[in-house]
Amino acid sequence: MKVAKEEIVGLVTALGMFVEEDEAAEMANYQALAQRVVDALVETPGLQVSLHHDGVDYLIPTAVLKFGEAWPGRARPQTRSRRRWSRATRPSTCNSSARQTSWA
C-alpha cells in the first residue's frame, strides 16, 4: 500500500493538534455553555433544570431538563401522538393523495 507524503503530513498535524488540546479549557467552555442554559430556564414553571457531569452518563457538562406536573405545556402522550400523526401525514413523493393537517 502506498501512502502519499501529504497524507503523512496530515496525520502528523492532526496528532499534534490532538496532543496540544487543553481538555480542562474545553470542559470549562462546555460547563459555561450548559450553565447558560440552566440559568435561562431555571425559573420556568413546571420545569426542573439541572447541570450534570459525572464522567459516566454525562461525559461533558450537560443541562438536563425534566418536565414536572406543573408544566403548562403539552403532556407527554399528547406530544408523542402529535409526532406520530405528523409523520404519518407528511406528504411523500410517491403518494400525491397524502392528507394535509394543520395544528391550531
Side-chain angles (χ1 to χ4, degrees), residues 29-96:
N29 184 40
Y30 289 135
Q31 175 83 24
L33 291 172
Q35 189 62 52
R36 285 179 61 192
V37 172
V38 170
D39 293 344
L41 298 175
V42 73
E43 294 182 16
T44 304
L47 190 62
Q48 299 168 355
V49 186
S50 56
L51 186 64
H52 292 265
H53 181 212
D54 60 14
V56 177
D57 293 324
Y58 301 96
L59 299 177
I60 63 171
T62 305
V64 177
L65 311 175
K66 294 182 181 180
F67 298 94
E69 294 295 323
W71 174 247
R74 287 191 176 94
R76 181 178 178 187
Q78 293 170 324
T79 304
R80 287 188 63 167
S81 101
R82 180 174 173 174
R83 267 187 52 217
R84 271 192 241 116
W85 179 257
S86 65
R87 282 185 187 160
T89 60
R90 184 177 299 144
S92 73
T93 55
C94 299
N95 183 2
S96 62

Side-chain angles (χ1 to χ4, degrees), residues 1-16:
M1 170 176 28
K2 287 184 154 186
V3 179
K5 60 185 169 204
E6 294 85 4
E7 293 171 331
I8 294 172
V9 170
L11 176 61
V12 170
T13 302
L15 287 172

